[in-house]
Amino acid sequence: MRVYVLVGGAPRKGFEQKRGLSIGVEYKGLYIVFDAGPDAYVIANNAGLSGFPLDLVDHVVISHAHSPHIGGLEAIGWEAPFAKLYLPYASMETLGRQAQKWQLSPVEVVKETRVVDGVVISRPFHGPPWEHFMLVELESGRGEYALFTGCFHPAVRGVLADISNRYRVTTVIGGFHLETAPPETVRGFAEDIALRLRAERVFPLHCSGGLVGELLSERFKLDVRYLRTGDVVDL
């Protein structure tokens, strides 16, 4: 699996950065976009520079309906009309109608949903807002998964308890919504990721803040790496 940070960290030279998140995933010949960033220009520019082919996108997964995560959907519609778009619970009448104007094919996620073999969207969790997570099976052959997160608005303990009962998650990548959180909240989050989920690698992006990475690395000895917009990594 190859992961492209289209939006989400300090930008490499030539890349645009606005507050938001978008991750491109190349998986077994398919192209998936997890969240669409803040606007069409940013995602189109950064996808082009990083070599991620928006015109070949098969599936788009939107974690939750906040503007830093949905603003680039129009660009995907330009490049990949009719791509299947997985929307958060209760957003079909709003975001779904708009997506249809952009020639995307929206599907509302109301329960755990299989996208293709090895790619699953979790059931919806309420924060607010409603948010779901994407799991992609790693190619280790050991039944391990990477967990993709948008902002982690729902209570982390409930989400991880539900997911860890059925999936062995060793890698976590995305936003954690901890930039302005009190230190005790960040410590609790880090403990849950390390001890409840038993993750091994963590890639904090977007709204994660720096303290969570320090705790996961120094206290729990996890492999932590802060990626930049424009980075491409193989998992």
Side-chain angles (χ1 to χ4, degrees):
M1 170 171 47
R2 179 160 290 177
V3 172
Y4 300 74
V5 182
L6 304 179
V7 185
R12 292 198 172 278
K13 185 177 181 180
F15 287 83
E16 297 290 333
Q17 176 60 26
K18 290 184 179 179
R19 183 173 179 81
L21 180 70
S22 182
I23 302 171
V25 179
E26 182 181 348
Y27 181 74
K28 295 183 179 180
L30 296 174
Y31 292 94
I32 302 167
V33 173
F34 180 79
D35 283 350
D39 66 49
Y41 171 74
V42 169
I43 191 173
N45 177 79
N46 293 353
L49 287 178
S50 65
F52 183 79
L54 282 185
D55 59 324
L56 298 181
V57 167
D58 302 282
H59 304 279
V60 183
V61 178
I62 297 298
S63 65
H64 62 294
H66 281 174
S67 58
H69 302 259
I70 64 175
L73 282 174
E74 186 175 8
I76 299 173
W78 296 337
E79 297 290 343
F82 316 115
K84 186 168 285 188
L85 170 65
Y86 294 89
L87 293 176
Y89 179 68
S91 66
M92 182 61 81
E93 290 301 312
T94 53
L95 186 55
R97 287 181 179 272
Q98 188 63 53
Q100 288 174 330
K101 294 179 182 178
W102 297 326
Q103 301 186 74
L104 296 167
S105 300
V107 176
E108 184 179 13
V109 176
V110 299
K111 61 182 180 179
E112 183 173 289
T113 301
R114 173 187 168 275
V115 178
V116 295
D117 286 342
V119 180
V120 176
I121 302 169
S122 76
R123 70 172 178 86
F125 296 86
H126 193 250
W130 288 100
E131 184 169 353
H132 52 238
F133 303 82
M134 184 172 77
L135 295 122
V136 181
E137 188 172 10
L138 300 175
E139 296 179 50
S140 63
R142 299 193 296 267
E144 299 171 341
Y145 284 79
L147 176 68
F148 290 78
T149 81
C151 273
F152 240 119
H153 288 287
V156 60
R157 186 156 296 180
V159 173
L160 297 186
D162 185 89
I163 289 174
S164 63
N165 280 338
R166 284 166 296 131
Y167 298 96
R168 172 70 179 108
V169 174
T170 58
T171 301
V172 183
I173 179 168
F176 301 155
H177 204 57
L178 296 172
E179 277 176 318
T180 59
E184 58 270 23
T185 299
V186 181
R187 284 194 294 269
F189 184 97
E191 288 175 359
D192 284 333
I193 291 291
L195 303 180
R196 183 177 296 272
L197 194 63
R198 293 180 296 167
E200 298 169 3
R201 296 184 296 182
V202 178
F203 300 90
L205 293 168
H206 179 39
C207 55
S208 298
L211 179 58
V212 66
E214 293 176 16
L215 290 171
L216 289 169
S217 176
E218 296 173 10
R219 180 176 176 185
F220 296 106
K221 309 305 179 185
L222 272 62
D223 180 7
V224 178
R225 180 179 170 191
Y226 280 83
L227 299 175
R228 301 178 66 182
T229 293
D231 280 346
V232 180
V233 295
D234 291 317
L235 300 181

